[in-house]
Amino acid sequence: MKIILTTLNSRFTHTSIALRYLYANLKELQNDARIIEFSINDAIQTIAEKLLIHSPQIIGIGVYIWNVSQVSELIHIIKKISPNTKIVLGGPEVSHEPFRVNLDNADFIIQGEGDEAFYGLCRDIFDDKPTSRIIKMSMPSLKNIELPYRFYTDDDIKNRYIYVEASRGCPFECEFCLSSMDEKVRAFDIELFLRELELLWLRGARNFKFIDRTFNLNIKTANILLDFFLAKEPPYFAHFEVVPDHFPESLKEKITKFPHGALQLEIGIQTLNPTIANNISRPLKLDKIKENIRFLENETNAHIHLDLIVGLPGESIKSFGANLDELVSLSSCEIQIGILKKLSGTYINRHDIEHGMIYSDIPPYDVLQTSQLSFFEIQTMKRFSRFWDLTYNSGNFKESIKLIWQDESVFENFYNFSLWIYTKTDSTWQISLQRLGELLFGYLCEVKKIDAKFVAKNMLEDMMRLEGRVVPNYLMPYADNFKPSNKHGTSGFNKRQQ
């Protein structure tokens, strides 16, 4: 095999649409190429073994923030064992400098969209033509690109997420995001794209993640895609990333028609503070955003996923807390709390001096300290985020978790809970559901002084919602007369996508 295309996905269930684009556009070289994917949990020497056993002349590797450290080690091993194998890197993590992980042993780096460039480079390598090590690409015409969807295997369709895109680019200029570097939004031919979707559907695909940065920017296209799924028989799952302030009536009408578990909408809020939003060049139409979140919460079955960021330039703990309180008052949906990252190529670095921004140079390049947040406060917020995921976002404690704050500040009360639970665990990982529930029960009864029978009733209703669960030991004394009101499973589709 002359060419191997590979990457290390963040999870086994993920697939790389980028590798399939490269493969689809290899023309006559396609018969001598193969896609081999791994995850970041795989042993690096084993990955090298599985690649080099094919004696490839070229190995193309997709590099991302979650795998760049492992890729650096992989390159080191490959070059030790097979120094003549040409290594070509591409992907977001190498498309902008400076590189903060040592990638010096790579032979070539394609910066930008490499759909056509990788083919040209392979041809030059085989023809011994001199080529620059770093190849900076302008955006190719989407009309000239072969689509990748037929190169999802039957195993991918059965066991993994299928990534698709109807457009590329983002019109906004949020300074923390690499998508802000795009000059414009470009759309694929919608009829051709729909034919590819239909072929995937006929092959059994039912789990689609759209990677478009602004799905509802073009309302005509958004309506066409929603119509595609509404015409299908459930169960299926479609994930879209949407602009929070752009939901005209035609779109709202269609979203209300989706059954439970079929539609997930990811909305990047990041901050609700107008001053902070202005700092990072993020448009913020608060009234429209709140109106649309309320609509999605109260009038649709869509699974909503909202994002907030800790550590934005100028934002204090108090401001972040107000953001969280506001979002919880608007919706009971999942709220993902992330830590600001400084990605090469973004403009977020212009705030470094004014706002005292200090970042780690080790992936994922998290902010460590700001003029508003000490290192210790950011560490506390990282644990806050993790415990929020385990309790609030997990859905295991949907109603009982609200007893922590009741009619008071969500942020302040959960902040105190996160401090307390960390003193009990000294960890945010490998906490079993049994242990987590026991801790929550203890906190509500012992610290919040809520009646144990009342807490147990709420926790039993939450935890026994799923069929097959056994009443945990700490709730057994309160379970004699308990009858679960809604005992059923889930489709498994409405899980957060990484």
Side-chain angles (χ1 to χ4, degrees), residues 291-486:
E291 174 190 322
N292 290 332
I293 291 175
R294 287 192 189 97
F295 158 74
L296 293 170
E297 170 75 9
N298 299 318
E299 299 182 44
T300 79
N301 291 312
H303 178 79
I304 312 302
H305 171 102
L306 304 176
D307 291 321
L308 282 177
I309 294 180
V310 172
L312 291 172
E315 184 143 77
S316 64
I317 282 282
K318 183 178 179 181
S319 171
F320 178 87
N323 293 335
L324 184 61
D325 285 351
E326 182 76 25
L327 286 187
V328 173
S329 74
L330 293 171
S331 172
S332 60
C333 68
E334 182 179 353
I335 301 172
Q336 185 68 28
I337 299 170
I339 306 297
L340 178 66
K341 297 168 177 54
K342 183 181 185 179
L343 305 179
S344 293
T346 61
Y347 299 118
I348 197 74
N349 62 348
R350 74 183 184 91
H351 300 286
D352 287 1
I353 295 175
E354 180 182 359
H355 293 289
M357 310 296 291
I358 299 174
Y359 300 88
S360 171
D361 288 326
I362 298 170
Y365 318 122
D366 282 351
V367 66
L368 298 174
Q369 181 173 300
T370 77
S371 60
Q372 295 290 328
L373 297 174
S374 70
F375 171 68
F376 303 101
E377 286 175 315
I378 289 177
Q379 287 294 103
T380 299
M381 286 307 300
K382 286 182 178 179
R383 292 189 285 270
F384 180 109
S385 170
R386 175 62 178 163
F387 291 130
W388 182 265
D389 254 354
L390 291 174
T391 55
Y392 186 87
N393 285 340
S394 70
N396 289 316
F397 311 100
K398 190 170 180 61
E399 297 302 323
S400 45
I401 193 66
K402 297 175 185 177
L403 297 176
I404 289 177
W405 55 81
Q406 299 189 58
D407 296 325
E408 299 176 347
S409 167
V410 176
F411 174 77
E412 290 178 10
N413 282 277
F414 195 88
Y415 187 90
N416 291 334
F417 172 64
S418 70
L419 293 176
W420 180 87
I421 196 172
Y422 187 62
T423 64
K424 299 293 184 181
T425 61
D426 197 33
S427 174
T428 60
W429 298 93
Q430 295 182 327
I431 304 173
S432 68
L433 180 61
Q434 166 85 13
R435 175 65 173 145
L436 194 64
E438 192 172 13
L439 287 165
L440 177 60
F441 182 75
Y443 184 80
L444 291 172
C445 296
E446 298 163 20
V447 179
K448 301 299 286 187
K449 305 298 184 185
I450 303 174
D451 179 71
K453 290 182 180 179
F454 180 72
V455 173
K457 178 179 179 294
N458 280 269
M459 292 192 70
L460 283 166
E461 288 177 354
D462 280 343
M463 299 191 71
M464 302 308 293
R465 188 178 291 117
L466 293 185
E467 197 168 3
R469 279 188 174 171
V470 177
V471 175
N473 290 336
Y474 61 91
L475 294 179
M476 285 292 288
Y478 310 93
D480 288 347
N481 299 316
F482 173 75
K483 293 182 180 179
S485 58
N486 186 22

Side-chain angles (χ1 to χ4, degrees), residues 8 56 62 86 94 104 134 185 217 258 275 280 283 411 447 449:
L8 284 70
K86 301 299 182 184
V94 296
D104 291 347
I134 294 183
V185 177
L217 183 69
F258 278 83
T275 300
I280 57 173
F411 174 77
V447 179
K449 305 298 184 185

Side-chain angles (χ1 to χ4, degrees), residues 67 113 137 253 255 268 321 358 388 460:
N67 71 14
E113 297 177 23
M137 292 305 304
E253 181 184 354
I255 291 173
I358 299 174
W388 182 265
L460 283 166

